[in-house]
Amino acid sequence: MLPVSINALPIIDIAPFLNRDLCDAELRASTAAALHDACVEYGFFYLDISAYVDPTIPAHLAELGREFFHLPQVEKDTIALKNEDGARGYARLKENVTNGKADNHEGIDFYKPVKNPDRTRPLWGENQWPVIPGFRERYEEWIEKMKALGMIVMEAYGSTSYYFRFEITYVIARVRSMAQGLGMMPEEWLDLRAKVDDSFWSMRIIGYPPLPTDDDGFSCGAHK
């Protein structure tokens, strides 16, 4: 784990958990301890995934996102939230509001597909994808890779309750309880994994244009 000050979040390298080499057992134990300490002391941490993904992949995803946000407004509106369940799809600039002020960003929201979608039910519609060549394929590959990473991280500390917010270039993870720190046995971990290995997920692609000089809002307001 990289050294941090009291005003900075820890950065933890997940690399030791990407293999089963016996020679890395000590490193895995150190990483698990760092995860435990970060969750107890901070509640959040940054995860270094440079050993897990080729850096050209998130760079390409970012370019695809920029390509969409640079489209004419009428084209972006073809996948507007109102076309589905109000949660899946494109939100216009300043459509999102935080703490009573419009956020100066636009975005596309995606959620885990559901059986028998019904757009009249909250979160029960279908994802709306831009028609940009390769957009859906590359992002769906990223989703699967992040889901797999979530299980790797979960095994590293064996949490019984977790929340992940995955973004384009980094991963922030918050853990609420850590069973490895409580001594979870391997069979207990396998039983837990069977219950959560296809968990609900969400993904948001966000475009942040520069704030106008006379704007008193936010690019994205503080979350509570």
Side-chain angles (χ1 to χ4, degrees), residues 1-4 8-18 27-52 149 152-153 156-157 170-175 178:
M1 182 174 71
L2 298 180
V4 296
L9 292 175
I11 302 173
I12 302 173
D13 188 357
I14 197 60
F17 277 90
L18 301 180
L27 285 174
R28 284 193 288 274
S30 176
T31 298
L35 289 165
H36 179 86
D37 291 344
C39 292
V40 170
E41 297 297 326
Y42 296 88
F44 289 86
F45 57 85
Y46 289 105
L47 196 65
D48 180 353
I49 60 172
S50 56
Y52 181 69
L149 176 62
I152 293 169
V153 177
Y157 48 66
Y170 59 86
V171 181
I172 300 177
R174 182 179 73 186
V175 186
M178 296 180 46

Side-chain angles (χ1 to χ4, degrees), residues 96-101 103 217-224:
N96 195 70
V97 176
T98 305
N99 295 330
K101 288 190 176 182
D103 294 327
F218 307 92
S219 289
C220 185
H223 288 46
K224 294 182 178 180

Side-chain angles (χ1 to χ4, degrees), residues 116-127:
N116 304 315
D118 178 356
R119 66 181 183 180
T120 66
R121 298 173 58 190
L123 286 177
W124 216 255
E126 296 182 89
N127 288 325

Side-chain angles (χ1 to χ4, degrees), residues 194-221:
K195 294 179 173 65
V196 299
D197 61 0
D198 192 26
S199 297
F200 192 81
W201 57 262
S202 65
M203 177 178 71
R204 169 168 254 219
I205 306 168
I206 309 176
Y208 294 102
L211 276 171
T213 54
D214 60 346
D215 194 291
D216 64 349
F218 307 92
S219 289
C220 185

